[in-house]
Amino acid sequence: MVGLFVRLKLRLIAGSLKGTGQQRAGFLFSLIAGLLVALAGFYLMAGLRTLDPSTAADVGVVFFSFILIMWIVGPLLMFGLDDTLDPARLALFPLTTGQLTRGLLASSAVGVWPVASLFAMTGVIFGLARSVTGALIGIVAVPVAFACCLVVSRLVTTALSGALRTRRGRDLMAVAVILVVVGSQLPGMLLNQGLGDGLEIITRTAGVLRWSPTGLAAHAIADGGLVGVAEVVAVALFTAVCAWLWIVALKAALTRADSSSQGGGSVRRSRFGGLLPEGVLGAVVAKELKYARRDPRGRVTWISALAVVIVMIFSTRNNTGGEPIVWMGVFPVWLGGLVVSLQATNSFGIDGRALWINAVVYAKPEALRADLAGRHLTITLLGAPLICLAAVATGLLTEPVWILPAALIGVGVMGLVFAVGSFTSVYFPYTQPERINAFTGAAPGQGGQAFLSSIGSLVGGAVLSLPVLIPVMAGHLWVSALMPVLGFGLAWPARAKASVIGLRRMPELMADVSRPT
Amino acid sequence: MEGMTEAVRTRGLVKAFGQQVAVAGVDLVVPAGSFAGLVGPNGAGKTTTLSMITGLLRPDGGLVEIHGADAWAEPVKVKSSIGVLPEGLRLFERLSGRELLLYNAELRGISREEGAKRAAELLRVMDLVESQDKLVVDYSTGMRKKIGLAAALLHNPAVLFLDEPFEGVDPVSANTLTEVLRRYTASGSTVIFSSHVMDLVERLCDWVSVMSRGHIVAQGPIGEVRRGRSLNEAFLDLVGAGGSGEEGLSWLGSSSG
C-alpha cells in the first residue's frame, strides 16, 4: 500500500510535466528552487561549524523551527492542488485507517520540497555537532525532526480539511496567505528599524524557539550529552502523540458528513445603498464596495495595498539621517496612490465570468462609462482616506508642512492611474483566478497581459505625474494642488474613449476575463 | 410561415474556434409568442448559437434579427428587449440573491422602488424568500437557475433565451421554473431554451429546432417535426444515432463480485 501511494504521488508529479508549458515551467521552477534551497541550506548549516558553538546552536534552532513552520503552512496553501492532502478524496476506497496512515505519510515524504528540506536539515549535523556523541545524536535527531515535520503537517491539514473544503474556510485561507507574505517582511522591517543587530535578534528568537519540537532536536545535536538524548526522546514522544492525534483526526475526517455543501450565513442588507445615485454608477459602486469586503481577492488587494503604504512610511523614517527633503515627505504617499489605484488597471477582472450580466445590458458607451466611473469611485472612496492618513503619518515623521501637498499628490496620482487603467482594462484584460496564487495574479497564459497592464499603468501614471512632481520637488509646494486637477481631468476623457473601445470589444473582453484557471 | 411575426431569425450564422467549426451556417427561426426548444446532442453548437444571438459571442459571419432589429448593429433596440440565462450559472457570487436582482434592476434603469417590488415578487414566486439574503456562492444548482431566471425576467423582456435551464435542477424547482415560463409565454412573450431532455421539450414546447454538427436539421411546429413518432425517436433519426452499444462489455452484469 505504501508503494502504491508513493507511485501515486510520483505520477502526480510526472503529470505536471505532461501539462501545458506553464505547468512545466512551474515544475521546473520548483525543481530548481528546491535544489537551490537544499544545497544552500545544507551549505549554510554545515558552515555554522566556523561560528562559535552557542551562536551556531542558535542559528540551527531557528532554522529547524522555520522548517517546521514551512511544513505546517506550505501544505495548507497547497490544499486543493495536491490530491493526496485531502483525506476525503480517498474516503471511498476500501482502505483501513492503518493503510491510509502509512500511505499518506509515505506520499508526503515524496516530492521536491520534502527531499530538499531533509537534505538541508542534514547539514546541521556537520555544523552543530562538536563531539562524536553530538554527531551520533544528530544521525538520530535529524530523521526524528523530519518525521515530526511530516506528522505535524499531516495532522494540521487533516484536522482542517473539513473547514478547508467549505467556502468560508477557503476564503479565510486566501486572506491568511497574504498575512503570511506580509508577516515574512516583518523581520526585515525590524532589522531596518535598528531594533538591535541581527545576531541579537537571532539569540532572542532562539531562546524562545529552543522549546519548539524541532528546535529541541537542533539543540540536542549541539548539546551532544545526556540532555541531548533526553531532548531527542522528547521530540520522538511528541511526534508519536501527534501521529496518534493524526490517526484520530483521519478517522473522524473519513467518517464525518461532508460539510462543504453547507451554506454560509446571511449577509446584512446595506444601510447606505440609498445614499448612492440611482442608475449604473450607483449600482456598480454598491457592488464593488461589497466585493472589496466579501471577495477574498478584494480583501487581499486592500490588505496588501495597506501593507505597502505602511512599509513605505517606515522606510522613509529609516532614511531620515540628515536634513529631510521634500521627496521623503511626498514619495511614500505618491507611491501609495499608485499602488492603491493599480486595481483599476484590470477593472473587469474581478467580475470574471459574471461580466455577461453587465454586457447584456450595456447598449451604449455611456453605460460602460458609468460602469468604469463607478469602479474608479469605489477605489477613491476606500483609497483616498488611506492616502490622506499616509500623508499625515509621513508628514508627522518628516515635516508637517508637507502633509497637504503629499495628500494632494497621492490622491491626484490615483486619477492618472485611472486614466491609463481605463485603456489597459479594455485592451489588456485578464482573468483574476478565484483561487489566489502566491506567484501570479493571472490565469495560465495571461501572465504577459497582466504584467503589461500593471507595469504599463504604473509607469504611465508615474510619467504623467512628472509635470507636477518636478516643480514640487524643486520647492514649489503649491503646484501639488494641480495634481488632482490633472489626474481626474485626464481620467474623465480617458473613460469616455475607453468605454467606446470597451463596448466594441465586449465579447473579446468577456472571453479574456473568464478564462479557465 | 407567411404572415407570422418572427421573434428571432438568424441567417447563415457561422462560428469557428481555430480549426473546429462550431456553428456552420445556422438559419434559426422562432415565431413570436412561441415556447421554443433548441435540441441537439452535445457539441451540436446550441450554446455557441445562443451566445451569438444574445451578443455574448461575436459571430464570424451571418445575421441575427430579434423582432426585426439587427442584434449586432442595433444593440440599443435589442438589448432592452431580451433576457438571458447563459450556460454555466455564471453570476456575481458575492452578492446575495436579493442584491443580485436589485443590481440588475438598477443596471436596467428600473427605479429602486419598482425594482424592490419586482425583486420581492420574483423571490416569492421562485420560492427563494428564505435564502434571499444568502450569498449566491452558497446557492445550490437549482437555486442558482431560479435566481438567474428571476434576473433575466426582471425587466419584462419580449424574448427570453435560456441555455439548459433545467440541467441539474430538482423536480420541485423545475416545476416552479416551467410554471413561471408558461405564464410568461401565455402573455405573448417568447421563450427559447436549449435542452437534452426530449420529454420536457415535448411537454412544454410548441416549436422545436433540432441542431446537429453546427446545422439546423429540422425546425417547425413540434407536431410537424415529430410526424407521429415520439420526439425522442424523431430526434435520434434526425441526428443519426450510432450503434446500440451491445458489442463489448460482455463482463458487465455477469458476476456478483
Side-chain angles (χ1 to χ4, degrees):
Chain A
M1 194 51 62
V2 169
L4 187 67
F5 272 86
V6 170
R7 280 200 301 278
L8 169 68
K9 188 66 178 276
L10 288 174
R11 284 255 167 84
L12 288 170
I13 294 171
S16 64
L17 275 174
K18 287 183 200 143
T20 59
Q22 187 97 1
Q23 281 174 321
R24 258 180 297 191
F27 178 73
L28 206 66
F29 171 80
S30 61
L31 192 66
I32 292 171
L35 203 66
L36 280 177
V37 166
L39 289 177
F42 183 87
Y43 180 76
L44 284 175
M45 287 304 114
L48 291 176
R49 188 150 209 91
T50 57
L51 298 179
D52 75 275
S54 78
T55 314
D58 286 345
V59 176
V61 164
V62 172
F63 176 72
F64 262 46
S65 308
F66 175 75
I67 294 250
L68 178 64
I69 293 168
M70 284 296 114
W71 268 96
I72 294 172
V73 176
L76 286 180
L77 302 185
M78 287 285 288
F79 199 86
L81 299 178
D82 184 342
D83 288 330
T84 62
L85 287 177
D86 186 355
R89 300 241 176 187
L90 305 161
L92 287 181
F93 293 106
L95 299 174
T96 63
T97 315
Q99 288 172 318
L100 204 54
T101 318
R102 287 192 295 275
L104 285 174
L105 204 60
S107 73
S108 59
V110 176
V112 174
W113 292 107
V115 172
S117 60
L118 180 61
F119 189 72
M121 284 165 93
T122 318
V124 171
I125 303 178
F126 298 91
L128 254 55
R130 298 294 154 101
S131 58
V132 180
T133 46
L136 285 176
I137 289 176
I139 290 170
V140 183
V142 167
V144 169
F146 183 67
C148 179
C149 288
L150 287 185
V151 169
V152 170
S153 129
R154 278 294 172 174
L155 169 61
V156 172
T157 43
T158 306
L160 292 179
S161 67
L164 283 173
R165 256 178 286 115
T166 65
R167 198 255 308 159
R168 271 166 192 272
R170 285 194 306 269
D171 284 5
L172 276 178
M173 267 321 293
V175 178
V177 174
I178 199 72
L179 291 180
V180 167
V181 172
V182 172
S184 66
Q185 299 302 311
L186 267 180
M189 270 170 73
L190 289 177
L191 276 179
N192 274 337
Q193 288 305 300
L195 294 177
D197 61 317
L199 219 57
E200 197 187 317
I201 290 183
I202 288 179
T203 314
R204 269 197 273 163
T205 321
V208 181
L209 294 180
R210 175 185 172 339
W211 300 105
S212 75
T214 46
L216 275 178
H219 188 266
I221 302 170
D223 181 80
L226 278 177
V227 177
V229 173
E231 280 172 330
V232 173
V233 171
V235 180
L237 280 176
F238 175 80
T239 308
V241 170
C242 284
W244 177 75
L245 284 175
W246 175 44
I247 292 169
V248 171
L250 193 60
K251 273 185 186 154
L254 290 173
T255 50
R256 193 175 41 215
D258 185 14
S259 60
S260 62
S261 57
Q262 277 171 19
S266 297
V267 292
R268 210 179 41 218
R269 290 188 189 181
S270 168
R271 286 162 298 176
F272 305 109
L275 299 175
L276 294 165
E278 270 196 37
V280 175
L281 181 79
V284 171
V285 172
K287 187 208 76 188
E288 290 286 297
L289 283 174
K290 287 180 188 117
Y291 263 65
R293 190 167 78 232
R294 295 178 189 164
D295 191 304
R297 288 170 298 176
R299 288 187 224 165
V300 166
T301 311
W302 282 104
I303 292 173
S304 38
L306 185 69
V308 167
V309 170
I310 292 173
V311 169
M312 286 321 297
I313 294 171
F314 273 91
S315 58
T316 328
R317 196 183 120 185
N318 189 39
N319 293 333
T320 48
E323 187 70 14
I325 54 167
V326 186
W327 181 245
M328 291 176 190
V330 170
F331 176 71
V333 187
W334 173 77
L335 195 68
L338 282 175
V339 170
V340 162
S341 48
L342 213 54
Q343 43 190 305
T345 59
N346 186 32
S347 286
F348 305 105
I350 198 140
D351 287 358
R353 291 154 56 79
L355 185 60
W356 70 268
I357 292 181
N358 297 9
V360 294
V361 180
Y362 299 159
K364 292 185 200 161
E366 287 78 9
L368 189 61
R369 185 179 175 180
D371 182 308
L372 269 174
R375 291 168 202 262
H376 293 168
L377 182 57
T378 312
I379 299 172
T380 313
L381 281 176
L382 296 171
L386 182 67
I387 294 303
C388 291
L389 276 178
V392 171
T394 316
L396 291 179
L397 291 170
T398 53
E399 287 276 342
V401 191
W402 297 336
I403 290 178
L404 186 64
L408 287 168
I409 284 176
V411 173
V413 82
M414 290 173 70
L416 291 173
V417 179
F418 294 160
V420 182
S422 299
F423 290 105
T424 55
S425 293
V426 294
Y427 276 124
F428 310 107
Y430 59 91
T431 306
Q432 276 176 274
E434 283 175 39
R435 213 195 134 74
I436 294 162
N437 181 322
F439 297 107
T440 168
Q446 288 187 317
Q449 260 157 302
F451 184 77
L452 201 65
S453 90
S454 48
I455 294 298
S457 309
L458 206 60
V459 173
V463 169
L464 285 174
S465 64
L466 287 181
V468 174
L469 212 54
I470 291 169
V472 172
M473 290 301 131
H476 305 288
L477 291 182
W478 63 271
V479 184
S480 61
L482 294 180
M483 191 66 110
V485 181
L486 178 70
F488 291 89
L490 277 179
W492 189 275
R495 277 193 296 265
K497 187 86 184 90
S499 59
V500 176
I501 300 162
L503 196 68
R504 206 172 55 221
R505 292 194 79 240
M506 195 47 96
E508 289 74 25
L509 215 163
M510 276 188 288
D512 281 341
V513 297
S514 42
R515 292 266 192 99
T517 53
Chain B
M1 301 287 291
E2 288 296 311
M4 195 187 277
T5 36
E6 287 157 3
V8 180
R9 168 178 276 282
T10 74
R11 286 174 226 265
L13 210 52
V14 176
K15 183 75 192 179
F17 299 104
Q19 291 291 309
Q20 200 191 345
V21 179
V23 172
V26 159
D27 299 311
L28 181 77
V29 181
V30 177
S34 56
F35 202 135
L38 180 60
V39 299
N42 290 327
K46 304 187 294 293
T47 295
T48 311
T49 303
L50 286 180
S51 300
M52 288 190 288
I53 296 175
T54 51
L56 297 175
L57 184 70
R58 194 185 302 284
D60 292 341
L63 198 69
V64 179
E65 282 178 355
I66 292 173
H67 281 293
D70 186 329
W72 284 85
E74 303 167 83
V76 180
K77 265 190 197 166
V78 171
K79 286 195 170 177
S80 59
S81 69
I82 62 170
V84 186
L85 178 63
E87 56 142 5
L89 303 159
R90 303 162 289 171
L91 302 165
F92 284 111
E93 306 283 310
R94 306 284 165 161
L95 297 184
S96 71
R98 183 171 168 276
E99 286 166 350
L100 185 71
L101 295 186
L102 296 180
Y103 175 75
N104 252 291
E106 205 154 344
L107 227 51
R108 296 268 184 193
I110 300 168
S111 77
R112 281 207 183 126
E113 203 186 334
E114 178 66 18
K117 202 183 96 195
R118 290 189 190 181
E121 282 179 32
L122 282 164
L123 287 165
R124 193 167 43 75
V125 172
M126 299 291 181
D127 198 18
L128 288 171
V129 175
E130 265 177 46
S131 29
Q132 60 176 326
D133 288 323
K134 286 204 173 116
L135 295 189
V136 172
V137 70
D138 295 327
Y139 275 19
S140 68
T141 306
M143 287 158 84
R144 296 166 77 93
K145 296 267 184 190
K146 286 194 286 187
I147 200 74
L149 180 61
L153 284 169
L154 196 74
H155 59 293
N156 189 24
V159 190
L160 191 58
F161 296 92
L162 313 169
D163 200 348
E164 302 280 3
F166 299 103
E167 196 168 69
V169 178
D170 68 273
V172 181
S173 300
N175 194 47
T176 313
L177 289 177
T178 53
E179 283 308 311
V180 173
L181 293 176
R182 274 211 172 112
R183 261 175 68 181
Y184 173 76
T185 47
S187 67
S189 304
T190 313
V191 171
I192 296 134
F193 78 98
S194 68
S195 183
H196 292 124
V197 189
M198 294 303 145
D199 288 346
L200 196 76
V201 174
E202 196 161 15
R203 194 154 52 81
L204 292 176
C205 297
D206 45 36
W207 183 274
V208 66
S209 303
V210 184
M211 274 193 87
S212 177
R213 292 170 202 187
H215 294 276
I216 299 273
V217 290
Q219 78 183 336
I222 198 150
E224 277 181 30
V225 174
R226 278 197 324 184
R227 279 194 232 133
R229 302 163 289 183
S230 78
L231 184 63
N232 201 38
E233 286 165 355
F235 175 76
L236 291 176
D237 285 348
L238 282 163
V239 302
S244 58
E246 275 174 19
E247 62 279 3
L249 296 185
S250 55
W251 50 271
L252 188 61
S254 58
S255 84
S256 57

